[in-house]
Amino acid sequence: MQFKGTGVALVTPFNTNGSIDESGLRKLVNYQIDNGTDFLVVQGTTGETATLTTDEKERVLAIVIEENKGRVPVVLGLADNNTAALVKVFSTFDNDGVDGFLSASPHYNKPSQRGIIAHFEAIAKVSKKPIILYNVPGRTSSNMTAETTLALSKVENIVGVKEASGNMDQVMQILKNAPQDFAVLSGEDALAMPIAAMGGHGVISVVANALPKEFSSMMNATFEGDLAKAKKHHFEMLDITHQFFAEGNPSGIKCCLDLLNICSDTVRLPLTTVTSNLRGQMEKELEGIELISKQ
């Protein structure tokens, strides 16, 4: 099981003029690895992938691979609601620095469960790397049921799922019935510890962009059965976790990274930076976690 523990869905740092902040991205990669992150996810939703040009996507991926230097696995987000187009991308993709793919269930089309299964079977057949399914009904407008995930868990080349439905019963059904080597990863930061305590294998986190040491410590404590320590971290980060998403992702987490002097809070439209009121709340929470004083 290559993708387990604390994965982070990396933001794409921008300069104040909107261009890619390459030095900020390098700083962020090292901040993650130096503080316990187990694997990196590039060009997910948090990376504002929908607003990146093809050249920018290639450059961002190249920087992450170069800075990572093979220290931790790298997962690339690749998704589309045009199955044929996505099959072509998967069949032609060739980059030794990428260890796997994260692929969201098709958005907008609202396919049936049969359609979702057929979609993932088609890309798994041609992919040269293992695939992590991504169920995020809040963005795709269709839920991938536990039965669908379990059916896909038996498909060669599909190795896990990022579950962001927020439906704990659905997650438990997957945990109960999935093959032992199928990774069940939380896609909800606030549920990462509870899911791990039930037997989940990790998380693909937004919060860990800013709090990698605290988040990985929480996850490791859960895996080791030290629930007292895990709960302490969980509740310590709970309020700021909600704040990160209060005015959109990654606007909140980028504000926090700006407060920590890692990169600016610049986002691309249609996203906007957070209000001064929310920024003040985050700053207060970070002081409570004692992060600002450490920077």
Side-chain angles (χ1 to χ4, degrees), residues 5-6 38 168 175 184 186 188-203 213-235 237:
T6 301
D38 295 300
M168 292 297 280
L175 287 171
V184 180
S186 175
E188 299 276 356
D189 284 281
L191 297 179
M193 192 278 280
I195 289 174
M198 291 190 298
H201 305 94
V203 62
K213 185 175 182 179
E214 291 73 15
F215 215 97
S216 61
S217 178
M218 177 187 74
M219 296 302 290
N220 290 336
T222 308
F223 297 140
E224 293 162 6
D226 188 349
L227 295 186
K229 180 179 179 180
K231 285 193 292 183
K232 180 181 181 294
H233 283 304
H234 172 75
F235 288 119
M237 294 186 286

Side-chain angles (χ1 to χ4, degrees), residues 74-290:
V74 172
V75 175
L76 177 66
L78 280 182
D80 203 323
N81 61 340
N82 179 339
T83 305
L86 190 59
V87 165
K88 185 175 181 180
V89 172
F90 269 92
S91 62
T92 57
F93 186 91
D94 188 17
N95 189 320
D96 289 338
V98 172
D99 299 285
F101 299 111
L102 176 69
S103 194
S105 181
H107 64 281
Y108 191 77
N109 306 59
K110 297 182 75 172
S112 67
Q113 298 301 303
R114 287 176 57 235
I116 292 171
I117 291 171
H119 170 87
F120 281 117
E121 286 177 335
I123 62 174
K125 187 176 181 179
V126 299
S127 177
K128 300 177 181 68
K129 307 281 184 177
I131 296 168
I132 302 169
L133 310 170
Y134 183 15
N135 183 37
V136 57
R139 291 186 180 274
T140 64
S141 293
S142 65
N143 179 50
M144 193 162 65
T145 66
E147 291 78 11
T148 292
T149 298
L150 292 168
L152 289 168
S153 72
K154 300 171 185 175
V155 174
E156 187 177 356
N157 227 14
I158 294 179
V159 299
V161 63
K162 177 184 178 183
E163 241 297 335
S165 67
N167 184 331
M168 292 297 280
D169 182 66
Q170 181 163 295
V171 175
M172 287 188 289
Q173 288 299 322
I174 297 169
L175 287 171
K176 178 183 176 183
N177 297 295
Q180 267 194 327
D181 59 352
F182 185 75
V184 180
L185 308 170
S186 175
E188 299 276 356
D189 284 281
L191 297 179
M193 192 278 280
I195 289 174
M198 291 190 298
H201 305 94
V203 62
I204 295 178
S205 172
V206 174
V207 174
N209 274 279
L211 309 176
K213 185 175 182 179
E214 291 73 15
F215 215 97
S216 61
S217 178
M218 177 187 74
M219 296 302 290
N220 290 336
T222 308
F223 297 140
E224 293 162 6
D226 188 349
L227 295 186
K229 180 179 179 180
K231 285 193 292 183
K232 180 181 181 294
H233 283 304
H234 172 75
F235 288 119
E236 183 181 49
M237 294 186 286
L238 189 59
D239 288 344
I240 200 166
T241 294
H242 293 311
Q243 290 169 358
F244 286 153
F245 296 96
E247 294 180 6
N249 179 47
S251 300
I253 194 66
K254 277 194 166 181
C255 173
C256 188
L257 289 168
D258 186 33
L259 290 168
L260 295 173
N261 297 313
I262 294 171
C263 66
S264 83
D265 62 351
T266 305
V267 290
R268 288 180 174 176
L269 289 170
L271 298 178
T272 58
T273 54
V274 303
T275 59
S276 58
N277 180 55
L278 182 57
R279 185 181 179 92
Q281 292 176 37
M282 284 189 198
E283 189 165 10
K284 185 177 179 180
E285 284 295 324
L286 286 174
E287 288 171 350
I289 302 173
E290 300 181 349

